[in-house]
Amino acid sequence: MTLDNLLKTRANLEERIRQLIGRAVMVIELDLFALPCGCSGYTANTRGLALDDLEVFEEHFLKLLKESAEAVGVSPGFIFARIIPGTQEIAALNVRELCPRCYSDFATTSGKRPRPDIYIFHLVKRKRK
Ligand SMILES: [Zn+2]
């Protein structure tokens, strides 16, 4: 993974979301992150994206986010969107490799909207060890 690759992935993600929904959505920042608990992944901060778009184009977004995760070396275990509370606006798209503790937290929640600020696209089921 190089920074050049990160820049290209941001541009590509933005371009493909625009093509998909036909509006000038912006990916204003693409961040890789590592958390103290052991989770890691990437966050794409967006402007101009709405919850409706995700629901209508769910399969397309899933494919798009999996591909950009691969491009930056993140394994797409958990894919979700963060919604600005009290609105239909999407603040960020997230692809995260969950640590065991966060995995069990999320695995026991059910449905697409376990919390009002989260929309879940995808959670890979893990085999029990
Ligand atoms: Zn974690």
Side-chain angles (χ1 to χ4, degrees):
M1 228 296 293
T2 60
L3 287 177
D4 190 45
N5 195 7
L6 194 58
L7 285 164
K8 278 187 194 139
T9 303
R10 190 219 62 83
N12 182 264
L13 187 59
E14 184 176 81
E15 180 58 31
R16 290 179 66 189
I17 294 174
R18 287 180 179 196
Q19 281 171 3
L20 181 60
I21 67 174
R23 284 203 320 274
V25 170
M26 286 170 60
V27 176
I28 56 165
E29 198 174 313
L30 185 66
D31 297 328
L32 289 172
F33 65 82
L35 302 181
C37 61
C39 285
S40 60
Y42 85 72
T43 302
N45 292 296
T46 57
R47 290 290 181 275
L49 199 56
L51 186 56
D52 260 5
D53 301 322
L54 304 189
E55 286 169 344
V56 173
F57 296 110
E58 170 143 16
E59 288 308 310
H60 294 88
F61 271 100
L62 197 51
K63 185 167 177 283
L64 197 52
L65 294 169
K66 278 182 181 172
E67 284 172 10
S68 40
E70 249 164 58
V72 295
V74 173
S75 117
F78 182 45
I79 302 178
F80 66 101
R82 206 172 283 283
I83 302 155
I84 299 170
T87 74
Q88 298 290 302
E89 273 286 300
I90 303 303
L93 301 168
N94 266 265
V95 180
R96 184 155 151 183
E97 286 187 52
L98 292 167
C99 72
R101 202 178 63 199
C102 291
Y103 178 79
S104 35
D105 284 355
F106 279 109
T108 53
T109 61
S110 58
K112 287 263 169 216
R113 303 280 307 269
R115 283 172 17 201
D117 64 331
I118 281 184
Y119 177 85
I120 295 181
F121 287 101
H122 180 66
L123 175 63
V124 169
K125 295 283 174 231
R126 269 189 204 170
K127 289 182 184 131
R128 292 205 174 272
K129 282 174 191 159

